[in-house]
Amino acid sequence: MSTDSSARPREFEASYGADIFVTVGTDHHPFDRLVAWADAWARDHPRARVTVQYGHGTAPDTAQGVVSLPAAGVRARMAAADVVITQGGPGGIIDCRATGRLPIVVPRRHDLGEHVDDHQVAFATHMAEVGRIALATDEATFRQLMTRALTDPGAFRVEPESSPTASTVAAIDAEINRIARRRRR
């Protein structure tokens, strides 16, 4: 194998030091397909920092794995990452765009036991058609989008949008605390 850096593909060079964040969201169904794709990519790009929030599924072997993060932690990781990959739920997509990132979205599929139906497939397809996400429905497309995100990072930046998620979570938390205090009396 040649050690001449000019023989390396541009994707390989672009992955040096890249910070990749992958989130499967909070659904109770395992999303091992996305975890496996991210883990395989991490194996092929050992100098990249790949963090996978894997939820109720199988932990990655190569990438750094974390079962879950609080909502604020997910948004902070999204904001810090060079590339963000998320499942096809509206909350993850909205949060990602709120941090100024165009997400690579892999929708969960019902036929693979990843969700109760195919609403994520329908939603993600629509969002891709209107240019709000980069859609990956197979591993080859996932890898192509990763390459594009690393070699043309500007294409994966958007104007940060306001997200109702943080205020909604805070309002729910305040209501739960109010109810809990009332029950303690």
Side-chain angles (χ1 to χ4, degrees), residues 53-96:
Q53 178 271 314
Y54 61 92
H56 296 277
T58 304
D61 293 322
T62 302
Q64 175 185 354
V66 59
V67 174
S68 67
L69 292 168
V74 170
R75 286 190 300 277
R77 285 296 294 125
M78 287 176 169
D82 296 306
V83 181
V84 178
I85 301 96
T86 186
Q87 47 82 41
I93 293 169
I94 290 167
D95 281 347
C96 190

mmCIF file of all heavy atoms in Angstrom, residues 53-96:
data_model
loop_
_atom_site.group_PDB
_atom_site.id
_atom_site.type_symbol
_atom_site.label_atom_id
_atom_site.label_comp_id
_atom_site.label_asym_id
_atom_site.label_seq_id
_atom_site.Cartn_x
_atom_site.Cartn_y
_atom_site.Cartn_z
ATOM 1 N N GLN A 53 -25.261 7.653 19.613
ATOM 2 C CA GLN A 53 -26.259 7.500 20.668
ATOM 3 C C GLN A 53 -27.160 6.383 20.163
ATOM 4 O O GLN A 53 -27.877 6.556 19.193
ATOM 5 C CB GLN A 53 -27.021 8.808 20.886
ATOM 6 C CG GLN A 53 -28.122 8.743 21.925
ATOM 7 C CD GLN A 53 -29.452 8.330 21.335
ATOM 8 O OE1 GLN A 53 -29.865 8.831 20.300
ATOM 9 N NE2 GLN A 53 -30.126 7.406 21.988
ATOM 10 N N TYR A 54 -27.072 5.205 20.808
ATOM 11 C CA TYR A 54 -27.694 4.005 20.241
ATOM 12 C C TYR A 54 -28.966 3.543 20.946
ATOM 13 O O TYR A 54 -29.598 2.580 20.504
ATOM 14 C CB TYR A 54 -26.682 2.859 20.164
ATOM 15 C CG TYR A 54 -26.103 2.425 21.493
ATOM 16 C CD1 TYR A 54 -26.694 1.412 22.230
ATOM 17 C CD2 TYR A 54 -24.945 3.017 21.991
ATOM 18 C CE1 TYR A 54 -26.162 1.006 23.445
ATOM 19 C CE2 TYR A 54 -24.407 2.613 23.198
ATOM 20 C CZ TYR A 54 -25.017 1.617 23.920
ATOM 21 O OH TYR A 54 -24.490 1.220 25.117
ATOM 22 N N GLY A 55 -29.380 4.168 22.004
ATOM 23 C CA GLY A 55 -30.663 3.878 22.618
ATOM 24 C C GLY A 55 -30.839 2.443 23.068
ATOM 25 O O GLY A 55 -30.009 1.897 23.783
ATOM 26 N N HIS A 56 -31.919 1.823 22.617
ATOM 27 C CA HIS A 56 -32.285 0.469 23.034
ATOM 28 C C HIS A 56 -31.678 -0.606 22.149
ATOM 29 O O HIS A 56 -32.057 -1.770 22.242
ATOM 30 C CB HIS A 56 -33.811 0.326 23.059
ATOM 31 C CG HIS A 56 -34.457 1.214 24.061
ATOM 32 N ND1 HIS A 56 -34.558 0.884 25.385
ATOM 33 C CD2 HIS A 56 -35.000 2.453 23.932
ATOM 34 C CE1 HIS A 56 -35.154 1.866 26.038
ATOM 35 N NE2 HIS A 56 -35.428 2.834 25.181
ATOM 36 N N GLY A 57 -30.744 -0.238 21.301
ATOM 37 C CA GLY A 57 -30.140 -1.202 20.387
ATOM 38 C C GLY A 57 -28.795 -1.699 20.861
ATOM 39 O O GLY A 57 -28.432 -1.603 22.034
ATOM 40 N N THR A 58 -28.046 -2.218 19.920
ATOM 41 C CA THR A 58 -26.723 -2.771 20.173
ATOM 42 C C THR A 58 -25.681 -1.664 20.121
ATOM 43 O O THR A 58 -25.689 -0.843 19.198
ATOM 44 C CB THR A 58 -26.402 -3.845 19.104
ATOM 45 O OG1 THR A 58 -27.442 -4.828 19.142
ATOM 46 C CG2 THR A 58 -25.070 -4.504 19.360
ATOM 47 N N ALA A 59 -24.781 -1.660 21.077
ATOM 48 C CA ALA A 59 -23.709 -0.658 21.115
ATOM 49 C C ALA A 59 -22.759 -0.868 19.936
ATOM 50 O O ALA A 59 -22.530 -2.003 19.509
ATOM 51 C CB ALA A 59 -22.934 -0.761 22.421
ATOM 52 N N PRO A 60 -22.171 0.213 19.422
ATOM 53 C CA PRO A 60 -21.185 0.066 18.354
ATOM 54 C C PRO A 60 -19.898 -0.561 18.881
ATOM 55 O O PRO A 60 -19.602 -0.470 20.076
ATOM 56 C CB PRO A 60 -20.954 1.513 17.895
ATOM 57 C CG PRO A 60 -21.313 2.355 19.076
ATOM 58 C CD PRO A 60 -22.388 1.611 19.809
ATOM 59 N N ASP A 61 -19.152 -1.204 17.993
ATOM 60 C CA ASP A 61 -17.866 -1.812 18.365
ATOM 61 C C ASP A 61 -16.714 -0.824 18.241
ATOM 62 O O ASP A 61 -15.809 -0.812 19.065
ATOM 63 C CB ASP A 61 -17.556 -3.020 17.469
ATOM 64 C CG ASP A 61 -18.522 -4.165 17.702
ATOM 65 O OD1 ASP A 61 -18.916 -4.399 18.856
ATOM 66 O OD2 ASP A 61 -18.884 -4.821 16.712
ATOM 67 N N THR A 62 -16.731 -0.004 17.204
ATOM 68 C CA THR A 62 -15.613 0.898 16.904
ATOM 69 C C THR A 62 -15.892 2.327 17.353
ATOM 70 O O THR A 62 -15.060 2.950 17.995
ATOM 71 C CB THR A 62 -15.301 0.873 15.396
ATOM 72 O OG1 THR A 62 -15.003 -0.473 15.017
ATOM 73 C CG2 THR A 62 -14.127 1.768 15.058
ATOM 74 N N ALA A 63 -17.045 2.840 16.989
ATOM 75 C CA ALA A 63 -17.423 4.204 17.358
ATOM 76 C C ALA A 63 -17.635 4.275 18.870
ATOM 77 O O ALA A 63 -17.887 3.263 19.523
ATOM 78 C CB ALA A 63 -18.700 4.608 16.635
ATOM 79 N N GLN A 64 -17.538 5.478 19.411
ATOM 80 C CA GLN A 64 -17.876 5.680 20.818
ATOM 81 C C GLN A 64 -19.384 5.566 20.945
ATOM 82 O O GLN A 64 -20.127 6.192 20.178
ATOM 83 C CB GLN A 64 -17.418 7.050 21.297
ATOM 84 C CG GLN A 64 -17.841 7.351 22.714
ATOM 85 C CD GLN A 64 -17.485 8.769 23.144
ATOM 86 O OE1 GLN A 64 -16.836 9.506 22.445
ATOM 87 N NE2 GLN A 64 -17.956 9.139 24.322
ATOM 88 N N GLY A 65 -19.857 4.773 21.878
ATOM 89 C CA GLY A 65 -21.289 4.595 22.054
ATOM 90 C C GLY A 65 -21.773 5.193 23.348
ATOM 91 O O GLY A 65 -21.083 5.157 24.365
ATOM 92 N N VAL A 66 -22.969 5.762 23.306
ATOM 93 C CA VAL A 66 -23.633 6.277 24.492
ATOM 94 C C VAL A 66 -25.102 5.877 24.370
ATOM 95 O O VAL A 66 -25.706 6.024 23.308
ATOM 96 C CB VAL A 66 -23.437 7.803 24.641
ATOM 97 C CG1 VAL A 66 -23.959 8.564 23.455
ATOM 98 C CG2 VAL A 66 -24.061 8.317 25.916
ATOM 99 N N VAL A 67 -25.649 5.317 25.434
ATOM 100 C CA VAL A 67 -27.032 4.840 25.389
ATOM 101 C C VAL A 67 -27.982 6.006 25.134
ATOM 102 O O VAL A 67 -28.820 5.957 24.236
ATOM 103 C CB VAL A 67 -27.417 4.096 26.686
ATOM 104 C CG1 VAL A 67 -28.896 3.741 26.689
ATOM 105 C CG2 VAL A 67 -26.575 2.851 26.859
ATOM 106 N N SER A 68 -27.870 7.038 25.940
ATOM 107 C CA SER A 68 -28.755 8.195 25.773
ATOM 108 C C SER A 68 -28.070 9.454 26.277
ATOM 109 O O SER A 68 -27.070 9.389 26.994
ATOM 110 C CB SER A 68 -30.084 7.979 26.510
ATOM 111 O OG SER A 68 -29.859 7.959 27.906
ATOM 112 N N LEU A 69 -28.626 10.557 25.881
ATOM 113 C CA LEU A 69 -28.172 11.873 26.319
ATOM 114 C C LEU A 69 -29.410 12.700 26.616
ATOM 115 O O LEU A 69 -30.451 12.508 25.980
ATOM 116 C CB LEU A 69 -27.380 12.579 25.207
ATOM 117 C CG LEU A 69 -26.031 12.016 24.820
ATOM 118 C CD1 LEU A 69 -25.542 12.662 23.527
ATOM 119 C CD2 LEU A 69 -25.031 12.277 25.936
ATOM 120 N N PRO A 70 -29.317 13.645 27.556
ATOM 121 C CA PRO A 70 -30.455 14.550 27.739
ATOM 122 C C PRO A 70 -30.626 15.396 26.481
ATOM 123 O O PRO A 70 -29.691 15.559 25.683
ATOM 124 C CB PRO A 70 -30.040 15.399 28.948
ATOM 125 C CG PRO A 70 -28.561 15.254 29.044
ATOM 126 C CD PRO A 70 -28.201 13.936 28.426
ATOM 127 N N ALA A 71 -31.820 15.925 26.293
ATOM 128 C CA ALA A 71 -32.118 16.709 25.086
ATOM 129 C C ALA A 71 -31.097 17.815 24.860
ATOM 130 O O ALA A 71 -30.628 18.022 23.729
ATOM 131 C CB ALA A 71 -33.529 17.280 25.174
ATOM 132 N N ALA A 72 -30.706 18.512 25.908
ATOM 133 C CA ALA A 72 -29.722 19.593 25.756
ATOM 134 C C ALA A 72 -28.373 19.025 25.320
ATOM 135 O O ALA A 72 -27.642 19.669 24.552
ATOM 136 C CB ALA A 72 -29.577 20.363 27.063
ATOM 137 N N GLY A 73 -28.022 17.827 25.782
ATOM 138 C CA GLY A 73 -26.776 17.188 25.382
ATOM 139 C C GLY A 73 -26.781 16.798 23.915
ATOM 140 O O GLY A 73 -25.767 16.922 23.228
ATOM 141 N N VAL A 74 -27.923 16.324 23.433
ATOM 142 C CA VAL A 74 -28.046 15.979 22.005
ATOM 143 C C VAL A 74 -27.862 17.230 21.161
ATOM 144 O O VAL A 74 -27.102 17.241 20.191
ATOM 145 C CB VAL A 74 -29.403 15.298 21.710
ATOM 146 C CG1 VAL A 74 -29.636 15.172 20.209
ATOM 147 C CG2 VAL A 74 -29.466 13.938 22.377
ATOM 148 N N ARG A 75 -28.544 18.303 21.533
ATOM 149 C CA ARG A 75 -28.424 19.551 20.761
ATOM 150 C C ARG A 75 -26.989 20.090 20.806
ATOM 151 O O ARG A 75 -26.477 20.579 19.799
ATOM 152 C CB ARG A 75 -29.424 20.588 21.263
ATOM 153 C CG ARG A 75 -30.851 20.273 20.830
ATOM 154 C CD ARG A 75 -31.814 21.410 21.122
ATOM 155 N NE ARG A 75 -31.897 21.740 22.537
ATOM 156 C CZ ARG A 75 -32.664 21.103 23.425
ATOM 157 N NH1 ARG A 75 -33.410 20.094 23.039
ATOM 158 N NH2 ARG A 75 -32.678 21.483 24.680
ATOM 159 N N ALA A 76 -26.323 19.980 21.952
ATOM 160 C CA ALA A 76 -24.930 20.444 22.050
ATOM 161 C C ALA A 76 -24.021 19.618 21.154
ATOM 162 O O ALA A 76 -23.141 20.163 20.489
ATOM 163 C CB ALA A 76 -24.463 20.371 23.512
ATOM 164 N N ARG A 77 -24.214 18.303 21.111
ATOM 165 C CA ARG A 77 -23.404 17.438 20.239
ATOM 166 C C ARG A 77 -23.678 17.765 18.776
ATOM 167 O O ARG A 77 -22.768 17.772 17.958
ATOM 168 C CB ARG A 77 -23.691 15.961 20.523
ATOM 169 C CG ARG A 77 -23.075 15.448 21.798
ATOM 170 C CD ARG A 77 -21.534 15.474 21.753
ATOM 171 N NE ARG A 77 -21.058 14.535 20.755
ATOM 172 C CZ ARG A 77 -20.244 14.856 19.735
ATOM 173 N NH1 ARG A 77 -19.792 16.078 19.585
ATOM 174 N NH2 ARG A 77 -19.867 13.948 18.868
ATOM 175 N N MET A 78 -24.945 18.023 18.442
ATOM 176 C CA MET A 78 -25.288 18.397 17.069
ATOM 177 C C MET A 78 -24.575 19.681 16.674
ATOM 178 O O MET A 78 -24.018 19.782 15.585
ATOM 179 C CB MET A 78 -26.799 18.574 16.911
ATOM 180 C CG MET A 78 -27.567 17.286 16.916
ATOM 181 S SD MET A 78 -29.356 17.621 16.830
ATOM 182 C CE MET A 78 -29.979 15.971 16.510
ATOM 183 N N ALA A 79 -24.592 20.655 17.562
ATOM 184 C CA ALA A 79 -23.969 21.951 17.267
ATOM 185 C C ALA A 79 -22.465 21.836 17.112
ATOM 186 O O ALA A 79 -21.859 22.549 16.310
ATOM 187 C CB ALA A 79 -24.314 22.954 18.370
ATOM 188 N N ALA A 80 -21.844 20.937 17.853
ATOM 189 C CA ALA A 80 -20.383 20.788 17.821
ATOM 190 C C ALA A 80 -19.891 19.916 16.668
ATOM 191 O O ALA A 80 -18.746 20.039 16.248
ATOM 192 C CB ALA A 80 -19.897 20.197 19.149
ATOM 193 N N ALA A 81 -20.744 19.045 16.161
ATOM 194 C CA ALA A 81 -20.318 18.058 15.161
ATOM 195 C C ALA A 81 -20.115 18.676 13.781
ATOM 196 O O ALA A 81 -20.752 19.661 13.419
ATOM 197 C CB ALA A 81 -21.350 16.941 15.074
ATOM 198 N N ASP A 82 -19.217 18.051 13.032
ATOM 199 C CA ASP A 82 -19.036 18.420 11.624
ATOM 200 C C ASP A 82 -20.147 17.836 10.770
ATOM 201 O O ASP A 82 -20.558 18.437 9.782
ATOM 202 C CB ASP A 82 -17.680 17.910 11.111
ATOM 203 C CG ASP A 82 -16.524 18.566 11.836
ATOM 204 O OD1 ASP A 82 -16.481 19.815 11.864
ATOM 205 O OD2 ASP A 82 -15.684 17.837 12.388
ATOM 206 N N VAL A 83 -20.611 16.632 11.135
ATOM 207 C CA VAL A 83 -21.679 15.942 10.413
ATOM 208 C C VAL A 83 -22.625 15.341 11.441
ATOM 209 O O VAL A 83 -22.180 14.759 12.427
ATOM 210 C CB VAL A 83 -21.121 14.816 9.509
ATOM 211 C CG1 VAL A 83 -22.241 14.124 8.743
ATOM 212 C CG2 VAL A 83 -20.060 15.347 8.548
ATOM 213 N N VAL A 84 -23.935 15.479 11.186
ATOM 214 C CA VAL A 84 -24.947 14.907 12.069
ATOM 215 C C VAL A 84 -25.820 13.943 11.271
ATOM 216 O O VAL A 84 -26.301 14.280 10.193
ATOM 217 C CB VAL A 84 -25.843 15.994 12.705
ATOM 218 C CG1 VAL A 84 -26.920 15.358 13.586
ATOM 219 C CG2 VAL A 84 -25.008 16.985 13.499
ATOM 220 N N ILE A 85 -25.997 12.753 11.834
ATOM 221 C CA ILE A 85 -26.873 11.745 11.252
ATOM 222 C C ILE A 85 -27.946 11.461 12.282
ATOM 223 O O ILE A 85 -27.653 11.215 13.458
ATOM 224 C CB ILE A 85 -26.111 10.443 10.912
ATOM 225 C CG1 ILE A 85 -24.972 10.710 9.928
ATOM 226 C CG2 ILE A 85 -27.070 9.410 10.340
ATOM 227 C CD1 ILE A 85 -23.641 10.891 10.582
ATOM 228 N N THR A 86 -29.204 11.465 11.855
ATOM 229 C CA THR A 86 -30.301 11.211 12.770
ATOM 230 C C THR A 86 -31.329 10.293 12.137
ATOM 231 O O THR A 86 -31.369 10.137 10.919
ATOM 232 C CB THR A 86 -30.959 12.528 13.244
ATOM 233 O OG1 THR A 86 -31.938 12.247 14.251
ATOM 234 C CG2 THR A 86 -31.607 13.282 12.109
ATOM 235 N N GLN A 87 -32.154 9.700 12.974
ATOM 236 C CA GLN A 87 -33.292 8.917 12.510
ATOM 237 C C GLN A 87 -34.325 9.883 11.933
ATOM 238 O O GLN A 87 -34.142 11.087 11.989
ATOM 239 C CB GLN A 87 -33.830 8.067 13.657
ATOM 240 C CG GLN A 87 -34.015 8.796 14.975
ATOM 241 C CD GLN A 87 -35.307 9.582 15.084
ATOM 242 O OE1 GLN A 87 -36.352 9.119 14.658
ATOM 243 N NE2 GLN A 87 -35.235 10.769 15.657
ATOM 244 N N GLY A 88 -35.405 9.369 11.391
ATOM 245 C CA GLY A 88 -36.335 10.205 10.641
ATOM 246 C C GLY A 88 -37.455 10.849 11.409
ATOM 247 O O GLY A 88 -38.447 11.269 10.809
ATOM 248 N N GLY A 89 -37.327 10.981 12.718
ATOM 249 C CA GLY A 89 -38.365 11.641 13.498
ATOM 250 C C GLY A 89 -38.275 13.157 13.392
ATOM 251 O O GLY A 89 -37.182 13.720 13.264
ATOM 252 N N PRO A 90 -39.408 13.832 13.438
ATOM 253 C CA PRO A 90 -39.411 15.294 13.314
ATOM 254 C C PRO A 90 -38.566 16.001 14.367
ATOM 255 O O PRO A 90 -37.889 16.984 14.058
ATOM 256 C CB PRO A 90 -40.890 15.671 13.465
ATOM 257 C CG PRO A 90 -41.635 14.433 13.115
ATOM 258 C CD PRO A 90 -40.758 13.288 13.529
ATOM 259 N N GLY A 91 -38.585 15.532 15.622
ATOM 260 C CA GLY A 91 -37.840 16.210 16.686
ATOM 261 C C GLY A 91 -36.350 16.276 16.400
ATOM 262 O O GLY A 91 -35.725 17.330 16.547
ATOM 263 N N GLY A 92 -35.759 15.162 15.999
ATOM 264 C CA GLY A 92 -34.330 15.142 15.690
ATOM 265 C C GLY A 92 -33.971 16.027 14.515
ATOM 266 O O GLY A 92 -32.955 16.732 14.529
ATOM 267 N N ILE A 93 -34.817 16.017 13.507
ATOM 268 C CA ILE A 93 -34.577 16.852 12.323
ATOM 269 C C ILE A 93 -34.674 18.326 12.688
ATOM 270 O O ILE A 93 -33.811 19.128 12.324
ATOM 271 C CB ILE A 93 -35.562 16.480 11.194
ATOM 272 C CG1 ILE A 93 -35.252 15.068 10.681
ATOM 273 C CG2 ILE A 93 -35.513 17.505 10.069
ATOM 274 C CD1 ILE A 93 -36.307 14.485 9.757
ATOM 275 N N ILE A 94 -35.708 18.690 13.434
ATOM 276 C CA ILE A 94 -35.880 20.087 13.849
ATOM 277 C C ILE A 94 -34.704 20.539 14.703
ATOM 278 O O ILE A 94 -34.146 21.624 14.496
ATOM 279 C CB ILE A 94 -37.222 20.272 14.601
ATOM 280 C CG1 ILE A 94 -38.387 20.117 13.632
ATOM 281 C CG2 ILE A 94 -37.280 21.617 15.321
ATOM 282 C CD1 ILE A 94 -39.748 19.977 14.313
ATOM 283 N N ASP A 95 -34.310 19.711 15.681
ATOM 284 C CA ASP A 95 -33.181 20.072 16.542
ATOM 285 C C ASP A 95 -31.901 20.233 15.741
ATOM 286 O O ASP A 95 -31.117 21.152 15.984
ATOM 287 C CB ASP A 95 -32.976 19.028 17.643
ATOM 288 C CG ASP A 95 -33.959 19.174 18.789
ATOM 289 O OD1 ASP A 95 -34.648 20.213 18.864
ATOM 290 O OD2 ASP A 95 -34.025 18.258 19.619
ATOM 291 N N CYS A 96 -31.680 19.357 14.793
ATOM 292 C CA CYS A 96 -30.466 19.440 13.981
ATOM 293 C C CYS A 96 -30.447 20.734 13.168
ATOM 294 O O CYS A 96 -29.449 21.451 13.156
ATOM 295 C CB CYS A 96 -30.377 18.214 13.064
ATOM 296 S SG CYS A 96 -28.792 18.092 12.230
#
